[in-house]
Amino acid sequence: MVGRRGIGSWTAKNKSVFIKKIEEIGIGHLQIPKVTYNVDVEKVHNTIEIEFFDIEAFNNKDDFFDKVRIYAIYYK
């Protein structure tokens, strides 16, 4: 199940099919603690604000999407 309570959902109450399968074959799994998710997202937003929106100017919607595409490729 993908979506609200499925794979990748931070609100999932049960193990996903993926986790169950890798545990079945004996692979250990370590989940990143969920307490830092918002901090990580805000850090990325700040970086994008400084590195992209504060530097670039956009002539039109197509120009914006072209520059976003290039930025996404080279984002570090």
Side-chain angles (χ1 to χ4, degrees):
M1 177 172 117
V2 176
R4 186 166 177 190
R5 298 237 190 268
I7 297 170
S9 172
W10 64 273
T11 59
K13 301 294 182 196
N14 301 309
K15 293 180 180 181
S16 68
V17 172
F18 171 75
I19 300 300
K20 288 177 186 176
K21 287 294 177 190
I22 64 170
E23 287 177 348
E24 241 177 60
I25 59 174
I27 298 174
H29 177 260
L30 175 65
Q31 186 169 352
I32 298 169
K34 296 174 175 120
V35 295
T36 65
Y37 285 177
N38 192 54
V39 172
D40 295 339
V41 169
E42 292 304 323
K43 182 175 180 167
V44 168
H45 288 169
N46 184 56
T47 303
I48 292 169
E49 183 80 26
I50 293 166
E51 291 185 354
F52 185 68
F53 289 109
D54 288 351
I55 295 171
E56 294 291 344
F58 313 106
N59 298 318
N60 54 47
K61 193 165 122 178
D62 289 335
D63 183 43
F64 170 77
F65 284 113
D66 288 341
K67 289 178 180 178
V68 166
R69 198 173 296 110
I70 292 167
Y71 181 78
I73 292 169
Y74 293 101
Y75 180 79
K76 296 176 186 176

